[in-house]
């Protein structure tokens, strides 16, 4: 038996994960943050000093139920907060281009989709991972707004220089994610696009929950 899937894709720092988590809470679904899986493998390549193209990805990667939903476990370790370090963020787009990495993660995500009802966020969820998802959302926001939000996450003061630097980091990651050959960042043809630049967080969550309810009534 397969669970229900709500897919949320979008560029870096567009608010996908926080939104997906809240939507999952509201629908009593599990939240699956696929970016965390890419970050986990990136963290391992850095820790072990691997060349990401030459590495053997025979690793034990899975999602475990924890108090707060599904947590990444990698070779028995839960890397937690380290997954959001600047070092990992700077390298993750390069690791996520590797075919062996993508197929490993695809397997883990589809397994979660078979076992649970999920709100899954990422870059290729509606296009590649769950092309039959009942609802697909593509969440965008201006790069300046995304940079402001990311600095807020880091609890760093948003000086003009720091904002410029963050805008450049986000642009570079978006370009790498959109330009890669396998599973590039793009909206699925049947995705609903939501621009959150001028919307409040709860407003975005409400829109998605309402869209889900409307889609469920149709089926
Ligand atoms: O939270 P943030 O927007 O910074 O990114 P993330 O969702 O944690 O994803 C980190 C990186 O993983 C992205 O920049 C992509 O390179 C990669 N990724 C991917 O290739 N496919 C996905 N479905 C999710 C993430």
């Amino acid at each position: 038996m397969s669970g229900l899937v709500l897919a949320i894709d979008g560029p870096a720092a567009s608010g996908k994960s926080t939104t997906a988590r809240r939507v999952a809470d509201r629908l009593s679904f599990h939240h699956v943050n696929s970016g965390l899986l890419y970050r986990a493998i990136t963290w391992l390549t850095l820790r072990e000093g691997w060349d990401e193209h030459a590495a053997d990805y025979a690793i034990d990667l899975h999602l475990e139920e924890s108090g707060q939903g599904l947590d990444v476990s990698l070779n028995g370790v839960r890397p937690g907060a380290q997954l959001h370090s600047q070092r990992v963020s700077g390298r993750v787009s390069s690791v996520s281009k590797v075919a062996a990495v993508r197929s490993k993660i695809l397997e883990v995500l589809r397994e979660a989709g078979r076992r649970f009802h999920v709100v899954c966020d990422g870059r290729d969820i509606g296009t590649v991972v769950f092309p039959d998802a009942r609802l697909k959302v593509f969440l965008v926001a201006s790069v300046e707004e995304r940079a402001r939000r990311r600095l807020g996450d880091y609890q760093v003061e948003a000086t003009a220089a720091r904002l410029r630097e963050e805008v450049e980091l986000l642009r570079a990651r978006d370009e790498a994610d959109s330009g890669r050959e396998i599973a590039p960042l793009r909206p699925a043809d049947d995705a609903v696009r939501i621009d959150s630049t001028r919307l409040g967080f709860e407003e975005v969550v409400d829109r998605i929950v309402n869209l889900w309810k409307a889609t469920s009534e149709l089926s």
Side-chain angles (χ1 to χ4, degrees):
M1 200 198 97
S2 177
L4 298 169
V5 177
L6 194 168
I8 303 182
D9 288 300
S14 55
K16 300 175 305 287
S17 303
T18 339
T19 307
R21 189 174 321 123
R22 182 66 70 91
V23 171
D25 278 352
R26 294 262 304 266
L27 299 174
S28 298
F29 281 19
H30 281 86
H31 170 216
V32 176
N33 177 343
S34 65
L36 280 187
L37 295 165
Y38 288 93
R39 288 173 178 274
I41 294 188
T42 304
W43 169 79
L44 188 71
T45 62
L46 287 167
R47 198 188 70 172
E48 301 297 322
W50 290 347
D51 167 348
E52 67 258 31
H53 297 286
D56 172 4
Y57 290 100
I59 49 180
D60 172 23
L61 177 70
H62 57 265
L63 292 167
E64 272 176 8
E65 280 197 89
S66 78
Q68 283 135 18
L70 298 174
D71 221 9
V72 180
S73 159
L74 180 58
N75 290 347
V77 178
R78 289 187 182 191
Q82 302 172 72
L83 300 183
H84 291 285
S85 68
Q86 296 255 15
R87 238 178 124 220
V88 169
S89 296
R91 180 79 175 273
V92 63
S93 286
S94 169
V95 173
S96 66
K97 278 189 216 155
V98 180
V101 170
R102 300 209 73 85
S103 58
K104 180 99 210 164
I105 289 176
L106 185 71
E107 213 178 281
V108 175
L109 295 173
R110 290 206 175 138
E111 169 68 15
R114 273 192 294 275
R115 292 175 56 202
F116 307 109
H117 294 335
V118 294
V119 179
C120 183
D121 73 276
R123 304 291 188 287
D124 61 340
I125 307 305
T127 50
V128 175
V129 182
F130 295 117
D132 297 327
R134 184 180 282 186
L135 175 64
K136 300 174 186 175
V137 171
F138 197 76
L139 194 59
V140 297
S142 74
V143 70
E144 291 77 16
E145 179 59 23
R146 291 189 279 130
R148 255 189 298 277
R149 291 179 190 166
R150 187 63 20 127
L151 292 187
D153 294 343
Y154 298 152
Q155 301 185 322
V156 170
E157 195 195 338
T159 58
R162 194 64 191 82
L163 268 173
R164 264 198 308 278
E165 191 188 328
E166 197 57 38
V167 162
E168 288 317 312
L169 290 171
L170 291 176
R171 281 212 174 108
R173 196 137 62 87
D174 289 350
E175 265 174 45
D177 290 343
S178 310
R180 70 175 172 231
E181 250 165 70
I182 320 171
L185 164 68
R186 68 168 181 81
D189 294 338
D190 51 350
V192 180
R193 190 175 182 280
I194 299 181
D195 186 336
S196 75
T197 310
R198 277 177 248 286
L199 293 177
F201 174 65
E202 289 299 340
E203 217 172 326
V204 175
V205 170
D206 282 344
R207 276 196 198 190
I208 298 175
V209 169
N210 290 337
L211 281 167
W212 178 265
K213 288 184 178 157
T215 332
S216 308
E217 278 159 17
L218 293 177
S219 64

